Amino acid sequence: MTTETPMPQQATAAKPPLRLFLTIVHLAAVGVLGGIIFGALTGLLGTGIGLLFAAGIGIVLLVGLVYSLFGVGWFEVARVSGLYRTPIAPLRWRPRDRPGFSGWIRALGRQTIDGRMWRAIANFAISAVLGWIVLRLAWGLVWSIVICFAPLVGSDAVMGPFGGGGITAAWAPLVGILGIAACIVGMIGLAALHRVLSLSIVIRAKEAELTERVRTSTAQREGAVRAADVERTRIERDLHDGVQPRLVSVGMTLGLAQQKIDDDPDAAKALIAEAHTSTKAAITELRQLARGIHASVLDDRGLDAALSALAGRSHIPVSLDVRMDGRCSREAEAAVYFSIAESLTNAAKHSRASETRVTVRLREGGVLWARVEDNGMGGAQVQPGGGLDGIANRILAAGGTFRLDSPAGGPTSLEVTVPCAS
């Protein structure tokens, strides 16, 4: 993938006066919200620690604290990116490296120590402090404008902006003009400082960005290699266990028919008919095997039609709910299609399910999401080289996420999410 990233000099280029005004407005808003948000987070932390051993309530609160911190970090990254028109990758929750509850715990732990999230939170805290100062300067600006007209009121002295001693009416216009200039310069300076700090803290260095891209590309490449290996093993197994024995049987049957064709024509005809039936069955198996490698209907008519055909061939009833406005990339649709196909195959072979539900949605932001759920006995696990392992690797290669929930006794649900631009 060759995505051009602007150089830091471009990101910190001079902005028009409107950008400074918007920055001041942002700081004022963050100055108001910052105290409320950090007060709530501090209260959540204290309450969570205090109730840590109270029937697990504290643990729930601390988990909620991690999600809240992630929300603050995500908001700050989006705010800085939108304010300065700088392309910044959005803050994303750490993906699971394994399915189930243990995978969620590991992802939660990695998110807790995520450096990018904490940098965004630190920038939000600094912005809140700068915003509080901006609010004070704004009040000072209003006061300075008001006292400029103090001689017109006829008062002898004017109270200071933050209390304290008064200012004589004769000096009030001069003090007001100086106050206006100082407050405006101060707010502009804080806006410029906010830009420098935000672009330094929130936007990662180019080397770190490239490192993250390399890590992601490496993980996707490894997933693609493992998915291809699992798929090759599946094809070999299907050929060895299905089509190959049937073709061997056809050959042996035709050989017997050849031996009997002169002495017992009726028996030879019966053997030829049996070989013909076995040949048609072998052709059907080869078609199904080819369909498992490439679904032509997926390219011709889209994911909805391909899943409808897949549900029609399923050995157990499938309730299909597909809602897509438009198409995704071929890679994304193929990854979701084959994941659903493998899930239905596993459900038919192992789950003892009597019903399966498939839900597919094209969500906002160009994300293709699918969920497969059956009412079987559960207990499904990802085994190296198995069908679920193939699903996980295929989804990883497409840049998506995979989640399996299959408690003992059922039900089993599998969710996959793939970006449309994968």
Side-chain angles (χ1 to χ4, degrees), residues 16-28 83 187-188 191:
L18 177 60
R19 189 68 56 206
L20 286 175
F21 174 75
L22 291 176
T23 302
I24 293 172
V25 173
H26 270 239
L27 286 175
L83 177 62
M187 287 189 287
I188 293 176

Side-chain angles (χ1 to χ4, degrees), residues 332-343:
E333 291 188 352
V336 172
Y337 171 81
F338 287 112
S339 298
I340 295 174
E342 184 64 31
S343 299

Side-chain angles (χ1 to χ4, degrees), residues 5-367:
T5 303
M7 297 296 288
Q9 289 84 355
Q10 294 173 329
T12 57
K15 302 297 180 179
L18 177 60
R19 189 68 56 206
L20 286 175
F21 174 75
L22 291 176
T23 302
I24 293 172
V25 173
H26 270 239
L27 286 175
V30 174
V32 174
L33 297 176
I36 300 174
I37 292 176
F38 281 108
L41 293 176
T42 303
L44 193 60
L45 175 63
T47 306
I49 294 176
L51 299 177
L52 192 59
F53 301 101
I57 297 177
I59 297 178
V60 175
L61 294 177
L62 292 178
V63 170
L65 176 63
V66 176
Y67 279 95
S68 300
L69 290 172
F70 172 80
V72 173
W74 179 89
F75 167 79
E76 183 64 9
V77 171
R79 185 184 69 83
V80 173
S81 177
L83 177 62
Y84 296 119
R85 304 293 183 185
T86 304
I88 307 174
L91 187 64
R92 299 185 183 278
W93 187 266
R94 289 280 184 157
R96 302 185 186 187
D97 58 357
R98 63 179 64 175
F101 181 74
S102 61
W104 175 74
I105 290 294
R106 289 168 61 89
L108 184 68
R110 291 198 306 272
Q111 189 61 54
T112 304
I113 59 175
D114 182 53
R116 190 174 180 220
M117 180 185 76
W118 285 109
R119 286 196 299 270
I121 294 172
N123 191 75
F124 184 78
I126 294 173
S127 300
V129 174
L130 296 180
W132 181 83
I133 300 175
V134 165
L135 290 173
R136 302 292 283 181
L137 290 176
W139 165 241
L141 178 62
V142 173
W143 173 85
S144 299
I145 294 174
V146 171
I147 68 169
C148 286
F149 302 95
L152 300 178
V153 180
S155 58
D156 296 332
V158 180
M159 185 66 68
F162 310 112
I167 301 173
T168 59
W171 289 95
L174 178 60
V175 172
I177 294 173
L178 293 177
I180 292 173
C183 291
I184 292 176
V185 170
M187 287 189 287
I188 293 176
L190 290 174
L193 177 62
H194 173 267
R195 185 180 67 184
V196 172
L197 293 177
S198 296
L199 296 180
S200 300
I201 297 174
V202 177
I203 300 181
R204 292 177 296 180
K206 190 176 183 64
E207 292 78 8
E209 185 73 26
L210 292 176
T211 300
E212 179 67 17
R213 290 183 182 178
V214 170
R215 186 195 66 79
T216 302
S217 299
T218 301
Q220 292 181 355
R221 184 177 66 252
E222 292 175 352
V225 171
R226 290 196 300 269
D229 186 62
V230 171
E231 186 69 9
R232 177 185 57 80
T233 303
R234 182 188 68 82
I235 295 172
E236 291 177 351
R237 183 180 64 248
D238 291 344
L239 288 173
H240 183 271
D241 298 340
V243 178
Q244 179 179 331
R246 192 176 296 279
L247 291 177
V248 171
S249 176
V250 169
M252 295 176 62
T253 303
L254 290 175
L256 291 173
Q258 185 179 15
Q259 295 176 3
K260 293 179 178 293
I261 195 168
D262 294 330
D263 301 334
D264 191 354
D266 293 335
K269 289 180 180 180
L271 290 172
I272 292 174
E274 180 183 345
H276 181 254
T277 302
S278 297
T279 301
K280 291 192 293 183
I283 292 174
T284 300
E285 290 185 7
L286 284 174
R287 285 176 177 172
Q288 292 177 347
L289 181 61
R291 192 181 292 116
I293 300 173
H294 174 72
S296 58
V297 67
L298 186 64
D299 294 334
D300 298 337
R301 299 172 56 193
L303 184 60
D304 193 355
L307 292 179
S308 298
L310 185 65
R313 298 191 302 268
S314 177
H315 296 291
I316 54 178
V318 178
S319 175
L320 189 62
D321 181 11
V322 181
R323 301 180 189 176
M324 295 181 59
D325 296 328
R327 296 285 302 271
C328 283
S329 65
R330 181 186 181 278
E331 292 77 10
E333 291 188 352
V336 172
Y337 171 81
F338 287 112
S339 298
I340 295 174
E342 184 64 31
S343 299
L344 294 179
T345 300
N346 288 342
K349 288 182 178 180
H350 309 296
S351 71
R352 301 179 185 175
S354 61
E355 180 186 8
T356 304
R357 291 185 296 276
V358 177
T359 307
V360 180
R361 295 287 186 273
L362 182 56
R363 293 179 167 175
E364 294 183 1
V367 175

